Amino acid sequence: MQSSTIRTAPSHFARALQCTSPGLIRCPRPCIVAKWLQSRNLTTATPAAQEAIPLRKHLKDEAKRKKADAKRDGNTASTKSGADPRLEKWELTVGIEIHAELNTACKLVSSAPAEVLETDNGGMANSRVAMFDAALPGTQPQFQVATLLPALRAAIAFGCEVQRKSGWDRKHYFHWDQPNGYQITQYYQPFAKDGCLVLDASDGVPALDMQGADRLRIGIKQIQMEQDTAKTTNVGSSTYHVDLNRAGVPLIEIITLPQIHSPQTAAAVVRKIQAVLKSVDSCVIGMELGGLRADVNVSVRERGTSGVGSSYSGVSGLGQRTEIKNLSSFKAVEDAIIAERDRQITVLEAGGVIEGETRGWTLGATETTRLRGKEGEVDYRYMPDADLPPLVIGQDLVKHLTSTLPTLPDQLQQDLQDEYNLSLKDAKTLIDLDNGDRLDFFLRTVHSVTAELSISSQAQIGKMVGNWVLHELGGLLTTHQRSWDDVRITADELRDILVCLHQKRITTRVAKQLLADLFQREPAPAARPCVEQLIETGNLRLRPLSEEEYRDLARRIMDESPEMVKAVREKGQKGKVMWFVGQMVRQGEEGTVEPEQARATIERLMGG
Amino acid sequence: MLPRSVQKWASGCTRSLQPRVCTRPFATSPPRRDAIERDANGHLDVGKLLSIPTWSVASLLTPKDQQTPTPEVSSKQLHHLLRLSALPPPKDTAEEAQMLSTLATQLHFVKEIQKVDTEGVEPLRSLRDETAQGEREAELGMEALRGALEQEEIRGTHHRRIRRKAGGRDGEEGEKWNPLRTAGRKRGRYFVVEGGKEG
């Protein structure tokens, strides 16, 4: 029902407005409230537009960018804006604060569910709200112990010292997405301190930052648990819809030390943190779906000086820092830091002074916008929460979780490269794909193949199995547009194919055909022929040809296409030999011609 | 909010569970050990022990005959303070003298309280069981998290990953109430807020 005094947008319009990308408020309003709203990132329509960039695409883009940079730097008459010479004088320092949603069933201090359940319309707005979340008078918080598990795992994964006793504090500010008027956080005594994150060049850290070492350690100052705020959507000029489902969902805030010195490293740090949190099942929703948000603190100083003498948590000699809030993608992190760094250098070179302010970044902008200056700084009046008892964490629990922690991505990657002889790119892809299911499949296959063939080291066949699992199966999945859940090929079937191939009982081409055949058939309850049966019925066994037969076949093909022969013999186009090999394989009987033999024969005939 | 000194005294007493008279940091008289009498069987006459108070807040007030070293509050200052607090000024000099003397004792009281050494004492947050036993009971270890750990499963055989089983709820079943019934303004399933400037 429409009230005549309130001008609200009609519902279809509201839906269209909801689809605007986050951070973009339709009507820019200069008032301080609006700026502060933006700093709280209220227009949180689900950012469906942003998708996770697959690892291989990301690596390709990085390689392209590096090539373009190298080409540009190669030109002596560089038309670059002069950022490079400026960077020789000015040094950037970045500290990152990451807020990540914990993977829990309940909210932090109330018993409402934190996740959407299929039953009872869990997806509706304001359907998962406890009385404390709505701040009804007289309600009390109660710490939900299950939220401790993912938080502790995150702390252990980053090597933090888990504090036995930690406290809960209130951070007071008034806003409609915070019904209680304060957020419950751990300001004075966080539950985990002094961890570290290790990066290397393959994570995307530029060589300049590595400074000759093969690892870069970024210190993590602390990890603390806190509540999330409600979700608000902007509909119409100044009307907001509030959904309290998200109010009170547990978050962890990970604060790094200001030891990051380039925008690419900052983006790499955020990516690494997301990967580590996902691997220990702490935070499984990624940045692109809004489950992880980053705030960055940026400052510059002249190289060799100590800036304005600011310090943060033991790192001293820094310039005045500004904070950029609510960056919601890796690219945004990088671009915002670059824009802010350039702005600060420009101001300082012109003789100005950087003020400690809070700034915002929108996608596609060229400069950060000022949200709140020092005079608009909010006094949060931190005080210990009297309703919640201190958090006391038992050492036995920490020990148990440390011993049962899943393998971290770094270790996994190293193992795959060392024990199974995979390349770095393949190892990384295998770890990321399909939530680790494909890696599990790979490991199962390798182990069973090794057992079957009685080979001692797994490195010999690791690479072959890796290729088949990643590229062959991957290719089949994309051509038939199926997901990994519907792969239908069991590890045993793949083992049979690869064992036959390794023992040279079938050719590679036949093996691929078998794979494709099994891929198409109906899954398990239906009758699936085993690999042996398929080889028998299709007469696909390798019947090796004798030398005579190879030569006859080769000569026949050479007679059929004299121009190609001329190309190889006279023009010296050695590559065309493979064309002959292809022709031989195609024209020979299925499962008889081996490409290596064929190539040897052709080369002998050509040369002789 | 109890004074920190009282909190320190109280925690000192609870730490040691035997009943004994503790030293009181702001006592003006030594502890009266003679007051504790035990009869032939060693039992304590609790009623008699508690009938004579061992401390009174009056010890913090200026005794009538003692010269106060504190600086006097002048009449001008008194009038200024009364104006700042929006209190009515004194009607006559007698009332003014009374106000000044009351103020002097109050200031003496505050100075006595400030003399307490609170070095290393954490401010009180709430009244909780601060004994070692209490802390052991509040500790979250394997027992407390058993339910939550059972809600997880291991996925995969060679590459083992922890997955929380969806749907398992630790807290009580969702309170079936409609939060929107409390709202003055709502639209569908949302609360509506006007974010514009006032007016």
Side-chain angles (χ1 to χ4, degrees):
Chain A
M1 68 174 178
Q2 295 250 347
S3 164
S4 57
T5 50
I6 304 172
R7 288 178 58 231
T8 50
S11 54
H12 63 273
F13 205 29
R15 248 176 279 124
L17 285 170
Q18 273 181 12
C19 296
T20 55
S21 51
L24 212 70
I25 302 182
R26 275 266 157 153
C27 306
R29 290 173 294 128
C31 74
I32 210 168
V33 173
K35 290 280 172 62
W36 195 59
L37 297 183
Q38 199 182 355
S39 79
R40 297 286 314 146
N41 190 28
L42 304 172
T43 52
T44 46
T46 320
Q50 302 176 50
E51 289 214 341
I53 301 184
L55 173 70
R56 286 178 122 80
K57 180 169 191 304
H58 171 81
L59 290 174
K60 267 199 206 130
D61 290 346
E62 284 290 302
K64 247 189 253 170
R65 190 175 61 83
K66 283 202 183 93
K67 225 195 281 185
D69 283 350
K71 210 201 284 185
R72 199 173 35 207
D73 293 341
N75 298 339
T76 47
S78 169
T79 53
K80 241 173 156 183
S81 66
D84 257 2
R86 295 208 302 181
L87 287 181
E88 279 164 39
K89 184 179 172 209
W90 297 94
E91 184 182 12
L92 168 73
T93 310
V94 174
I96 302 185
E97 294 169 20
I98 290 187
H99 301 256
E101 261 185 38
L102 286 179
N103 177 23
T104 57
C106 275
K107 296 186 178 182
L108 185 69
V109 288
S110 70
S111 59
E115 56 186 354
V116 181
L117 303 164
E118 269 72 43
T119 56
D120 14 85
N121 295 317
M124 273 202 310
N126 286 309
S127 61
R128 288 175 274 128
V129 184
M131 293 191 189
F132 179 73
D133 302 327
L136 291 196
T139 54
Q140 296 269 311
Q142 186 178 34
F143 179 62
Q144 301 294 317
V145 292
T147 59
L148 197 54
L149 280 184
L152 274 183
R153 287 206 179 98
I156 297 168
F158 289 117
C160 297
E161 279 172 33
V162 175
Q163 308 293 303
R164 177 173 159 78
K165 262 182 111 163
S166 47
W168 298 103
D169 305 309
R170 295 184 185 181
K171 176 179 177 181
H172 299 84
Y173 62 92
F174 287 114
H175 205 272
W176 55 69
D177 65 6
Q178 192 90 236
N180 280 296
Y182 58 86
Q183 177 195 34
I184 296 180
T185 175
Q186 292 185 308
Y187 181 75
Y188 290 113
Q189 290 173 316
F191 81 100
K193 292 196 214 176
D194 301 331
C196 86
L197 180 70
V198 178
L199 299 165
D200 57 22
S202 69
D203 293 316
V205 178
L208 207 62
D209 252 7
M210 297 292 293
Q211 293 187 341
D214 54 330
R215 273 170 210 274
L216 180 64
R217 295 173 76 90
I218 306 287
I220 288 183
K221 177 185 171 209
Q222 66 190 44
I223 300 184
Q224 66 201 46
M225 281 194 273
E226 53 186 35
Q227 286 180 310
D228 204 353
T229 58
K231 205 180 254 198
T232 59
T233 346
N234 187 3
V235 284
S237 60
S238 65
T239 317
Y240 294 86
H241 283 176
V242 179
D243 175 10
L244 296 179
N245 279 347
R246 203 182 71 177
V249 165
L251 298 178
I252 41 169
E253 177 168 353
I254 301 173
I255 303 180
T256 69
L257 290 177
Q259 295 171 338
I260 302 170
H261 296 292
S262 88
Q264 291 81 20
T265 314
V269 164
V270 180
R271 234 178 289 129
K272 194 76 187 259
I273 289 179
Q274 181 174 301
V276 171
L277 290 174
K278 188 143 192 251
S279 73
V280 295
D281 202 42
S282 280
C283 311
V284 294
I285 309 173
M287 210 169 185
E288 60 281 352
L289 293 168
L292 200 113
R293 304 187 277 278
D295 296 342
V296 296
N297 292 285
V298 180
S299 70
V300 296
R301 63 178 171 187
E302 282 190 54
R303 281 184 202 274
T305 68
S306 59
V308 301
S310 298
S311 72
Y312 182 76
S313 179
V315 180
S316 57
L318 302 172
Q320 174 63 44
R321 69 174 194 259
T322 60
E323 184 177 5
I324 311 175
K325 289 192 89 69
N326 278 316
L327 299 165
S328 52
S329 76
F330 306 125
K331 189 160 180 357
V333 168
E334 207 177 313
D335 293 344
I337 294 176
I338 291 173
E340 181 61 14
R341 173 197 71 193
D342 292 344
R343 183 194 76 90
Q344 286 194 5
I345 294 177
T346 313
V347 167
L348 288 172
E349 285 192 336
V353 151
I354 303 288
E355 294 173 3
E357 51 192 10
T358 311
R359 300 184 74 88
W361 171 262
T362 49
L363 290 172
T366 47
E367 206 181 70
T368 55
T369 50
R370 182 178 141 127
L371 296 179
R372 191 162 74 226
K374 242 181 133 54
E375 58 279 355
E377 216 173 67
V378 185
D379 176 11
Y380 292 116
R381 293 171 286 138
Y382 289 101
M383 68 172 243
D385 191 311
D387 297 327
L388 288 168
L391 183 61
V392 185
I393 301 174
Q395 193 56 28
D396 57 339
L397 178 65
V398 177
K399 278 209 183 77
H400 171 82
L401 291 178
T402 313
S403 63
T404 56
L405 200 70
T407 327
L408 297 178
D410 267 351
Q411 188 57 42
L412 261 181
Q413 204 178 296
Q414 198 58 43
D415 288 345
L416 285 175
Q417 286 181 275
D418 294 339
E419 285 177 31
Y420 302 101
N421 206 21
L422 291 181
S423 71
L424 178 64
K425 194 163 146 182
D426 280 349
K428 276 190 170 230
T429 320
L430 205 52
I431 293 171
D432 284 339
L433 276 179
D434 300 318
N435 290 322
D437 287 339
R438 206 178 291 207
L439 176 59
D440 194 48
F441 185 89
F442 164 80
L443 290 170
R444 236 178 320 152
T445 315
V446 170
H447 285 173
S448 51
V449 172
T450 325
E452 186 85 7
L453 293 176
S454 313
I455 303 177
S456 50
S457 89
Q458 291 169 339
Q460 291 179 12
I461 44 155
K463 199 153 176 65
M464 175 180 74
V465 180
N467 283 338
W468 278 80
V469 171
L470 271 178
H471 304 299
E472 297 303 324
L473 275 180
L476 283 172
L477 287 169
T478 30
T479 26
H480 294 94
Q481 294 196 326
R482 298 216 298 246
S483 69
W484 182 256
D485 298 328
D486 196 22
V487 75
R488 299 183 199 172
I489 304 218
T490 64
D492 292 334
E493 287 170 353
L494 185 58
R495 173 204 62 200
D496 290 336
I497 296 177
L498 292 180
V499 161
C500 289
L501 181 61
H502 193 265
Q503 293 170 338
K504 294 208 187 299
R505 285 195 277 148
I506 51 175
T507 64
T508 316
R509 186 182 152 93
V510 166
K512 289 184 192 177
Q513 280 178 348
L514 286 169
L515 194 71
D517 187 330
L518 282 168
F519 189 79
Q520 302 278 50
R521 290 176 187 262
E522 286 302 311
R528 281 173 80 85
C530 75
V531 173
E532 287 292 339
Q533 286 172 346
L534 282 175
I535 295 178
E536 282 304 319
T537 49
N539 195 20
L540 302 169
R541 197 172 301 281
L542 175 64
R543 299 172 296 282
L545 299 174
S546 65
E547 198 53 47
E548 265 304 315
E549 290 169 315
Y550 269 109
R551 245 180 286 147
D552 288 339
L553 184 57
R555 265 198 216 104
R556 204 176 348 127
I557 295 178
M558 282 162 67
D559 293 338
E560 282 170 12
S561 37
E563 333 73 43
M564 295 295 280
V565 179
K566 216 192 304 187
V568 177
R569 275 204 181 129
E570 289 155 30
K571 296 186 193 162
Q573 292 176 357
K574 292 288 177 214
K576 294 252 168 35
V577 170
M578 291 316 291
W579 181 86
F580 280 101
V581 171
Q583 286 296 310
M584 285 183 71
V585 167
R586 218 169 300 141
Q587 290 195 14
E589 264 190 67
E590 198 58 69
T592 54
V593 180
E594 287 175 277
E596 307 82 29
Q597 289 269 57
R599 189 202 168 115
T601 317
I602 300 268
E603 282 177 351
R604 256 198 306 268
L605 287 178
M606 293 289 188
Chain B
M1 183 79 135
L2 303 174
R4 298 175 197 179
S5 50
V6 177
Q7 150 71 354
K8 186 175 173 187
W9 176 76
S11 61
C13 277
T14 48
R15 254 196 294 275
S16 60
L17 295 176
Q18 316 96 321
R20 64 172 173 85
V21 177
C22 311
T23 49
R24 300 159 317 242
F26 44 78
T28 52
S29 57
R32 290 160 50 182
R33 294 197 184 277
D34 51 304
I36 300 178
E37 286 168 3
R38 290 173 183 270
D39 63 12
N41 293 336
H43 290 313
L44 203 58
D45 187 347
V46 179
K48 191 163 171 219
L49 181 67
L50 293 178
S51 62
I52 310 162
T54 57
W55 176 78
S56 163
V57 75
S59 65
L60 292 172
L61 300 174
T62 331
K64 288 282 187 279
D65 48 356
Q66 195 180 337
Q67 278 298 334
T68 57
T70 57
E72 291 285 334
V73 177
S74 73
S75 171
K76 193 155 166 255
Q77 280 175 315
L78 176 68
H79 281 263
H80 180 55
L81 287 170
L82 290 170
R83 229 190 340 272
L84 285 177
S85 328
L87 290 169
K91 284 193 281 293
D92 50 19
T93 42
E95 198 181 337
E96 185 171 322
Q98 197 195 12
M99 276 187 182
L100 284 168
S101 96
T102 314
L103 194 55
T105 41
Q106 286 171 340
L107 288 172
H108 175 84
F109 180 91
V110 172
K111 283 194 165 53
E112 289 292 313
I113 296 287
Q114 283 176 335
K115 281 183 193 163
V116 176
D117 177 22
T118 55
E119 191 66 40
V121 177
E122 284 297 313
L124 181 74
R125 295 183 182 190
S126 63
L127 294 173
R128 295 194 188 278
D129 189 348
E130 294 187 8
T131 58
Q133 169 79 7
E135 195 175 294
R136 252 178 281 132
E137 283 170 12
E139 184 178 295
L140 295 174
M142 289 297 293
E143 265 314 301
L145 272 290
R146 193 163 297 280
L149 285 168
E150 276 161 16
Q151 287 298 318
E152 294 178 342
E153 56 185 7
I154 306 273
R155 192 185 165 90
T157 50
H158 287 76
H159 173 44
R160 299 165 74 81
R161 292 145 284 158
I162 296 174
R163 287 286 175 266
R164 180 177 62 83
K165 287 187 256 190
R169 286 271 312 281
D170 214 354
E172 65 237 26
E173 276 315 300
E175 308 144 20
K176 296 288 177 227
W177 71 299
N178 185 5
L180 293 165
R181 280 215 332 264
T182 64
R185 288 189 307 171
K186 54 178 176 265
R187 180 158 244 264
R189 291 285 312 182
Y190 291 96
F191 296 97
V192 171
V193 175
E194 286 295 322
K197 272 175 127 163
E198 245 59 60

